[in-house]
Structure formats: C-alpha cells, structure tokens
Amino acid sequence: MLLFIWGIISQSPINDYTANLREKSSEASKWKDPLYIEIQQKAKQYEIPPQNAVIDRVWKAIPGYNGLKVNVEASYRNMKKGGVFDAQKLVYEQVSPSVHLNDLPPAPIYRGHPEKPMVAFLINVAWGEEYIPKMLETLKKYHVQATFFLEGRWVKKHPEMAKMIVDAGHEIGNHSYSHPDLKTLDNSSIRQELQKTNEIIEATTGVTCKWFAPPSGSYRDDVVNIAHDLHMYTIMWSVDTIDWQKPSPSVIVKRVTSKLHPGAMILMHPTSSTAEALEPLITAIQPTYDIGTVSMLLDEKRIVKK
C-alpha cells in the first residue's frame, strides 16, 4: 500500500513542481557564480569575427571564413567541476560570414582563405592513367582526399578508372572535353566543351561537377562566365609542381614546400615523378596543414586546432 502511494506521489504534479523549483534555483545560483560571471566577461577576448568572401585585386575570388563565438553555457558546464576558469575548456560556436562565395560575381579562384590551415591537391587528368593507381594507393595510405579534374575525352576512354577515382572517395571536377586553349575559342565552343564533359562525367560516375579547371590555366572572362552559367566555379592554383617537365621527385617536393601557404591549391598531374613524390610531399605537409579537396578547402568552416 505504501509503495502504491509513493508511486502516485513520485509521478504527481508535486514532484514536477519540486524538480522545476530545483532547476530554477540552480539557474539562479549560476548567475551568481563567480566562474560563470568570469566566463561571460572574458568571452569577447577569445572570440574571432567571421570574414566575408571577397574579390581580391590579385587573388580574385577568396572564400569567406567562419568566426568563433564562445558558448558561455557550454563553457560553464565544462569548467564547473574544476571551479576555475580554463581557456582550454572554452566551448565555441562557429559564426558564418554575411557574404559568401556564391554572393560574389563570377571570378576565378586561385586559393582558399589565407587563414585556413589547409591545402588542396588539384590533379588534372588528360593522360598518365598508368600512374593513377599508385597515386590512389598513396592517398589512401595517408587518408588524403584530392580533387581530380578529368578531361571528358579521357573519361570516355577510361570509364573504369574514372569510377575507381570516385569509389576511392575523391572529388571530381571538369577539365574540358578535348583540352583546347579555351581563351581562343568562341563562346559556343567553350560551352560545348564544358557541357559535354559534365554530361560524360555524370553518365559515367554519377557526379555533378561543381569545379572547373581550364586546360593550361588559359581563360578569359567569357570562360569564367560560361562555367558560372553551368553552375561551376573556375579553379586555378597558387602552387605549381610543374611536374609535366618530369623533374625528380625531390625537386617536386622542394618546389611545393618552398611555396606552401595556408589555403594553397597545389597543381599536379599523373606523372611518374608525381607518383613517386606524393608520399614524401604528404608527409612534409601534414604536420602543418590538413590536406583536403577543393570543396573542403573553400568551405567556410573554420579549422580549430587545440
């Protein structure tokens, strides 16, 4: 009988009311806690404002970068047990900029945000398929995802290898259909080169391209605008391996590491030199920078390293 009565009381509105009072009491005491007050007071000095995407005079389109705001409530819960302020236990929320890459007029992109500790590998493929398996093996070993820009004609000739790249978790971009100098073509031909490549890549791999890399980096404003009309951004690079000259792997590593910077987009091709240089290049870069796809690099998400 007593157990029955206790069960009714424990589920009654009285119990809910008591719990609510305890919660309100805890909330009130929090506001008086010197630790909570200290976190509130110091929060501003640890916050970082977001940075808008901009058109730079030299680097053209540069993506925005999220800021950081201190979550006072979560930080308080994180420090409450210790009872003292500890900056290492601050909990942050990312704050998005007000101007994004897609708010900017069409412009080529040469690099990621200059404060983002990440770089991207841009691998342009119109030949060199014999070196791709080794490159994929190395990328897998070091858990690196790259962006492969595929020529449409190459995809038509090597559909299984194109699917292999996608199945390995890498990003796919458009590298024109027949590798022409796009700057010299009329607008109709430019559009056909890009559309035809998008169609064959999508039919072969199921991927819809968001990024476009003009062959040899040759473009004019019309090329950028047409790519934009086709829902693609034009991607250039800020560090060049110049691997088509077939230098030794050590030259490639030195060439890249000497010019490395936050937000770097590193251009390479499937060559014997690059296949050999890839492992030492990755191990030289990874202690300082994350390595990701173009999408990862140009994303506004801030990388917060402890």
Side-chain angles (χ1 to χ4, degrees), residues 30-48:
K30 176 186 73 177
W31 287 94
K32 297 176 184 178
D33 189 335
L35 174 60
Y36 188 86
I37 295 168
E38 185 177 5
I39 295 171
Q40 279 187 314
Q41 291 173 341
K42 290 184 175 179
K44 287 291 181 187
Q45 71 188 67
Y46 290 98
E47 293 178 356
I48 302 172

Side-chain angles (χ1 to χ4, degrees), residues 187-251:
N187 287 0
S188 176
S189 299
I190 293 168
R191 186 176 293 272
Q192 185 177 7
E193 281 280 332
L194 273 56
Q195 278 184 321
K196 194 173 179 181
T197 303
N198 279 347
E199 288 166 5
I200 195 165
I201 286 176
E202 186 158 5
T204 304
T205 68
V207 172
T208 300
C209 291
K210 182 179 181 181
W211 313 112
F212 160 67
S216 306
S218 179
Y219 71 90
R220 64 177 190 270
D221 288 346
D222 289 332
V223 175
V224 177
N225 291 332
I226 290 168
H228 188 264
D229 287 344
L230 296 173
H231 310 292
M232 294 188 293
Y233 293 90
T234 299
I235 300 299
M236 300 297 285
W237 63 86
S238 61
V239 178
D240 191 354
T241 59
I242 319 178
D243 53 4
W244 52 271
Q245 291 183 347
K246 299 181 181 178
S248 69
S250 61
V251 168

Side-chain angles (χ1 to χ4, degrees), residues 41-67:
Q41 291 173 341
K42 290 184 175 179
K44 287 291 181 187
Q45 71 188 67
Y46 290 98
E47 293 178 356
I48 302 172
Q51 297 185 45
N52 289 334
V54 296
I55 299 290
D56 183 79
R57 187 173 60 84
V58 175
W59 292 106
K60 308 305 180 186
I62 295 180
Y65 199 35
N66 284 354

Side-chain angles (χ1 to χ4, degrees), residues 228-293:
H228 188 264
D229 287 344
L230 296 173
H231 310 292
M232 294 188 293
Y233 293 90
T234 299
I235 300 299
M236 300 297 285
W237 63 86
S238 61
V239 178
D240 191 354
T241 59
I242 319 178
D243 53 4
W244 52 271
Q245 291 183 347
K246 299 181 181 178
S248 69
S250 61
V251 168
I252 289 178
V253 174
K254 186 176 180 181
R255 185 174 285 160
V256 171
T257 55
S258 66
K259 297 179 180 178
L260 208 57
H261 59 85
M265 296 209 286
I266 303 165
L267 178 64
M268 58 183 70
H269 304 80
T271 69
S272 174
S273 299
T274 304
E276 294 299 326
L278 201 52
E279 182 164 11
L281 186 58
I282 291 171
T283 56
I285 293 171
Q286 280 187 331
T288 307
Y289 300 107
D290 291 355
I291 307 173
T293 63

